[in-house]
Amino acid sequence: MTVLLTSLPLAAFVLWLVSFPMSGFLLPSDDSVDLMVFFLLPHAMTMPLLATTPLPPTSRTALFRLSSGLTIMLTVVFPQLVEHATLLLFLLGIGAAPLAVGVVVNLRHSPDPAWSAALGLLTGNLLAALLWHLPLPSVWLFLLIALPLLLSMPLVGAQSTADTTDCLHRPKAGLFPPFLGRLLPYLPFILLFYLIGGLMFGHITPQYLAISRWPGIELFCYGIATLGGAWLIKRNRDFILALGILWGMLSFALLTGQLPITVILSMYANHMAFGLVDLFL
């Protein structure tokens, strides 16, 4: 598959993720609780189970497709059942985890996985920014972020079939292929980064939107990080992770200033951090 074609499932997933459950503009606001937590925690906790649960090859393919279908269905019905937001987000956190794994593993089939990842991340975020400014009812916006996930079903399904005959055909293999075993030493750091960084993003966003004159411009920071990271990652993969963590630390430090300029800079640094760590994965 070409670099562009391989990036499409990731772009579709990122569009859905940043528009909706990860403190996206479609996530309902609730002053009493951060609704993103109901998605993020079960999503993060499901990943180790996927890595360790033995599954036969045919079940892996079916699980990828079931995850896509479930994610699409729950997203489409969400605006009609918004009073059950916490339950739906919890189910999405678990149900979308195999799809998240599938779109990442699919990048292995690109001639240049790093650039496919960068294009997918950047395209998904830019499409989310575009949808944010479209004057459409929320029902249509939820439909627009759900339907592109259909792109992931045939491509990820083909990837899963190829991988099961290639490197996943082991009796005790989990959903993650063996090459992802190289990430195991990093997983505690990555888990903490996404939990803390995601919660911090949810905390920054309302303040940032209230004072920013150009909301959405922070995505250029994300784009710079992913494109620059795609160039750097071939030289030193660990450096990308370390640099992402440093940007995350800078984002936290800036946020403590509680000044309009420091809040804005904190959001920019947060996007730089996520762009680099997303690409590292």
Side-chain angles (χ1 to χ4, degrees):
M1 289 190 283
T2 66
V3 170
L4 180 59
L5 184 62
T6 313
S7 72
L8 293 181
L10 179 60
F13 184 78
V14 170
L15 167 63
W16 171 82
L17 188 69
V18 301
S19 297
F20 176 31
M22 283 294 290
S23 291
F25 65 94
L26 290 175
L27 187 68
S29 59
D30 191 325
D31 295 334
S32 62
V33 66
D34 186 354
L35 290 176
M36 182 188 68
V37 175
F38 292 94
F39 168 82
L40 185 62
L41 290 181
H43 193 70
M45 294 173 65
T46 303
M47 293 298 184
L49 295 177
L50 294 176
T52 57
T53 303
L55 289 173
T58 54
S59 296
R60 296 186 193 107
T61 304
L63 185 58
F64 284 138
R65 290 173 176 167
L66 177 63
S67 177
S68 298
L70 182 64
T71 302
I72 292 169
M73 181 188 71
L74 291 176
T75 302
V76 170
V77 303
F78 187 89
Q80 312 299 331
L81 301 172
V82 71
E83 65 274 13
H84 303 294
T86 55
L87 174 61
L88 292 176
L89 288 167
F90 179 83
L91 294 175
L92 278 168
I94 298 172
L99 176 60
V101 174
V103 297
V104 171
V105 175
N106 178 66
L107 295 172
R108 293 184 64 217
H109 297 271
S110 169
D112 193 330
W115 280 108
S116 287
L119 284 175
L121 292 168
L122 182 58
T123 302
N125 276 275
L126 291 178
L127 288 174
L130 177 62
L131 286 184
W132 186 8
H133 293 92
L134 286 183
L136 292 174
S138 63
V139 173
W140 285 102
L141 292 172
F142 273 98
L143 189 62
L144 286 174
I145 66 168
L147 290 182
L149 293 174
L150 288 171
L151 291 170
S152 66
M153 296 181 73
L155 292 175
V156 173
Q159 156 266 308
S160 178
T161 301
D163 282 344
T164 53
T165 58
D166 175 20
C167 64
L168 288 181
H169 196 62
R170 300 182 300 163
K172 296 183 180 180
L175 192 61
F176 288 92
F179 81 93
L180 288 180
R182 298 195 301 270
L183 289 177
L184 288 178
Y186 302 98
L187 288 183
F189 301 99
I190 294 172
L191 178 61
L192 284 174
F193 173 85
Y194 277 104
L195 285 176
I196 297 173
L199 292 172
M200 191 167 68
F201 176 77
H203 179 71
I204 299 171
T205 300
Q207 301 178 59
Y208 174 78
L209 293 178
I211 61 178
S212 176
R213 293 185 179 181
W214 304 286
I217 198 172
E218 68 277 3
L219 293 176
F220 285 99
C221 296
Y222 188 92
I224 291 170
T226 54
L227 295 177
W231 178 73
L232 288 172
I233 202 168
K234 297 178 181 179
R235 291 157 177 78
N236 192 325
R237 184 183 179 92
D238 291 349
F239 179 68
I240 298 298
L241 178 60
L243 195 58
I245 292 173
L246 286 174
W247 275 108
M249 293 170 63
L250 177 61
S251 175
F252 180 80
L254 287 167
L255 186 60
T256 61
Q258 291 299 313
L259 298 173
I261 185 62
T262 59
V263 170
I264 290 173
L265 291 176
S266 177
M267 178 62 91
Y268 293 167
N270 186 272
H271 275 69
M272 293 288 291
F274 272 99
L276 290 167
V277 178
D278 287 350
L279 188 68
F280 173 84
L281 290 175

